[in-house]
Amino acid sequence: MAAATAPDRDPAPGPSRIDAFAEGVGQSFLFIAATAGGMGVLLGQIVRRLFPPRIDKTELWRNLYKMSVKSLPIVVVTALFTGAIMVIQAAPIVKRYGAEGLLGWGAGFGTLREIAPLLTALMISGRVGANNTAELGTMVVTEQVDALRALAIDPISFLILPRFISITSTLFMMTLYADCLALIGASLTGDGLLSVSPQSFYNGLVGSGLLGFGDVANGLFKSIVFGLVIALSSCHFGLSTTGGAPGVGRSVTATVVASAAGVFIIDYLLSFILG
């Protein structure tokens, strides 16, 4: 006699695409909220240690040298070629309308208010912010940060505050260099490509009256805010690293993405506010 077989049952229905999409949106929202909250808490801890200042000066100078001085070569190359590219792109229009006298104004307006602070922020984010996250993340996964706490050393004062000040200062100083070097690159390219002498370029830049100190201050203020964004995101993702060496890689990637997105969003908002 053949054994009785159990009746076939329909498999349990899996999550629909709409459920999966909603779950993904919810997880992304929770990640963004947790990240924003973590950055807010970290910013509060940093500000609390600034009044009165509790900072390791040796660590501050070491980070300033490592972040500022060693970033100079890449900033020099980027700024010089950025100014040259702006003139190359504007050359056909300048020639068509005979606007050689406004070449200095055009290059200066775009450089001082937008291009120099934005490109410098992206360069510093890739070089300094990513490196800062990698260092902090490695210290976290190898329990060096826990060792500092065991020795009654405050990691925020010893590690985070010097790096936070160094990154913000570095971006401000590098933007000043980038302003000058991009204009030099634009002037040399204008002389070689459009026969606009450096004196004519300078007259268009300064003597036209179309540019003022407010344009320079606009870009420098943006650089400070960009520096705060990069410093905060790189320190936050470094301290929140988990999962060993793969976790360090994920934190570095998150820092680069968050810094770049934050810089562009802040730039968009500041452009509306500052005009």
Side-chain angles (χ1 to χ4, degrees):
M1 181 176 179
T5 58
D8 293 339
R9 296 179 180 177
D10 294 334
S16 65
R17 291 184 178 180
I18 296 177
D19 293 339
F21 175 76
E23 183 181 357
V25 171
Q27 289 178 347
S28 299
F29 177 79
L30 290 176
F31 174 76
I32 294 172
T35 302
M39 287 185 182
V41 171
L42 180 60
L43 181 61
Q45 292 174 335
I46 292 171
V47 171
R48 194 172 61 188
R49 285 160 178 80
L50 284 174
F51 304 101
R54 285 177 284 173
I55 183 171
D56 188 284
K57 294 181 180 177
T58 304
E59 190 71 7
L60 175 63
W61 285 113
R62 190 182 73 82
N63 279 288
L64 277 174
Y65 171 78
K66 184 178 64 177
M67 296 176 180
S68 299
V69 177
K70 292 193 173 183
S71 296
L72 267 176
I74 188 65
V75 172
V76 169
V77 173
T78 303
L80 282 174
F81 279 94
T82 297
I85 291 170
M86 290 176 63
V87 171
I88 291 172
Q89 294 293 335
I93 301 299
V94 171
K95 282 183 178 178
R96 179 183 301 175
Y97 295 103
E100 286 83 357
L102 293 177
L103 184 64
W105 167 77
F109 185 82
T111 298
L112 299 175
R113 294 181 66 96
E114 197 64 45
I115 301 299
L118 189 59
L119 287 183
T120 306
L122 295 179
M123 296 303 299
I124 296 299
S125 168
R127 185 192 177 278
V128 175
N131 183 66
N132 184 48
T133 300
E135 284 187 358
L136 289 176
T138 303
M139 295 180 73
V140 169
V141 299
T142 55
E143 300 181 350
Q144 295 180 53
V145 176
D146 292 334
L148 289 176
R149 293 193 180 97
L151 295 171
I153 299 174
D154 181 15
I156 302 298
S157 297
F158 182 71
L159 287 178
I160 303 304
L161 191 53
R163 294 163 189 264
F164 189 85
I165 295 174
S166 298
I167 292 175
T168 307
S169 304
T170 293
L171 197 49
F172 179 79
M173 291 185 288
M174 292 301 107
T175 301
L176 277 175
Y177 283 118
D179 284 346
C180 299
L181 291 168
L183 292 177
I184 291 173
S187 174
L188 295 176
T189 306
D191 190 17
L193 193 63
L194 300 170
S195 301
V196 176
S197 67
Q199 183 62 43
S200 299
F201 184 91
Y202 178 79
N203 290 335
L205 179 66
V206 179
S208 65
L210 298 174
L211 285 176
F213 177 75
D215 299 296
V216 181
N218 185 302
L220 294 179
F221 178 75
K222 284 184 177 179
S223 72
I224 295 174
V225 180
F226 294 163
L228 294 175
V229 172
I230 295 171
L232 197 57
S233 60
S234 66
C235 292
H236 167 74
F237 286 112
L239 288 179
S240 60
T241 299
T242 57
V248 175
R250 288 193 296 269
S251 294
V252 171
T253 303
T255 294
V256 174
V257 173
S259 297
V263 164
F264 278 108
I265 293 171
I266 293 294
D267 187 35
Y268 175 80
L269 296 176
L270 287 179
S271 296
F272 269 112
I273 295 172
L274 299 177

